[in-house]
Amino acid sequence: MGKPPATFIADSLGLDFLNSVATPADAPVDWLDSGNGLIDWLTQAKLVPSDELNALKARATPGELDKVADQARALREWFRGFVRRHAGRPLTEAALKELGPLNSLLAHDEAFSRIEPGHDNGGALSLHRTRRWRSPESLLLPVGEAMAKFVCEEDFADVKACEGHNCTMLFADHTRRRARRWCIMAVCGNRAKQAAHRSRLKSRQ
Ligand SMILES: [Zn+2]
């Protein structure tokens, strides 16, 4: 059975990676449950160019890709622990000593710059960052980069968990009044409203 599309509601890709396991309806869905799942999620996250994904998929055995998905889930759950420990207040330099696993992942990167035609502001050429995608494990590198950017650029005081009952989604609250409470208003917000409505009706009986 096909999975629903992954959700990208966190306003930060590093957190959306944590939301790649969630309970959108009644049953939990893990978008990274297999090598193919990981590739689908990376496609939806636009983290790996699709020609590179296709080339890697053609070269790798399903077993190799499943192994990378195992690693991705382990990375995700390690990072969830870090984010949950630090959410709600600004990070301090002391957090760095917990980030060894992420720095080790980043150290494997084979990134380089390349001059390409075209430019957003009309110029003839532009400089693009890219990387060599040698092994299936290299699929974890853009994920690591998104996590690292999140750690270095996001104010952890704005990192919140959805208040929805049984909802595990995390997001960065960038609303002006920092009043965001729900992953998706139409899902968890409405559910909470309906529950409140039902309990009001009940208390009148
Ligand atoms: Zn929610």
Side-chain angles (χ1 to χ4, degrees):
M1 218 179 70
K3 289 192 268 291
T7 48
F8 296 90
I9 53 84
D11 226 11
S12 166
L13 205 46
L15 282 179
D16 278 321
F17 177 57
L18 296 182
N19 295 335
S20 64
V21 59
T23 307
D26 296 324
V29 177
D30 192 339
W31 280 271
L32 311 183
D33 61 350
S34 63
N36 280 333
L38 174 65
I39 284 183
D40 284 348
W41 187 85
L42 289 168
T43 306
Q44 293 180 64
K46 301 186 181 72
L47 274 173
V48 185
S50 54
D51 50 339
E52 298 288 357
L53 271 177
N54 291 334
L56 261 175
K57 209 173 161 180
R59 280 202 308 271
T61 65
E64 281 176 315
L65 290 173
D66 287 344
K67 221 179 90 191
V68 180
D70 291 347
Q71 290 172 306
R73 290 194 305 277
L75 182 68
R76 181 181 68 191
E77 298 318 313
W78 165 79
F79 193 53
R80 189 185 311 281
F82 176 85
V83 171
R84 285 200 169 274
R85 271 196 303 285
H86 293 282
R89 58 189 191 283
L91 270 191
T92 65
E93 220 178 280
L96 183 56
K97 64 178 187 300
E98 297 170 51
L99 290 169
L102 183 50
N103 266 338
S104 323
L105 172 63
L106 296 172
H108 288 109
D109 209 343
E110 291 189 87
F112 62 98
S113 301
R114 185 164 62 194
I115 303 168
E116 292 181 0
H119 204 286
D120 292 343
N121 52 28
L125 302 171
S126 60
L127 195 59
H128 281 268
R129 289 290 287 167
T130 182
R131 59 169 56 80
R132 290 184 180 80
W133 305 91
R134 288 195 205 278
S135 63
E137 282 88 42
S138 60
L139 294 175
L140 299 176
L141 295 170
V143 175
E145 197 178 1
M147 289 158 63
K149 270 194 191 144
F150 164 70
V151 165
C152 296
E153 294 171 8
E154 187 62 56
D155 184 346
F156 268 54
D158 297 334
V159 176
K160 296 181 178 177
C162 175
E163 293 178 27
H165 180 61
N166 282 341
C167 182
T168 57
M169 300 267 235
L170 295 157
F171 56 84
D173 182 359
H174 294 152
T175 60
R176 196 199 296 240
R177 292 174 54 236
R178 300 294 188 261
R180 182 172 169 188
R181 298 171 62 193
W182 315 109
C183 57
I184 304 166
M185 183 63 208
V187 179
C188 282
N190 279 354
R191 253 185 228 159
K193 251 193 247 166
Q194 284 160 7
H197 182 65
R198 271 195 305 273
S199 77
R200 270 196 306 274
L201 288 182
K202 229 180 187 173
S203 66
R204 269 192 234 147
Q205 282 163 7

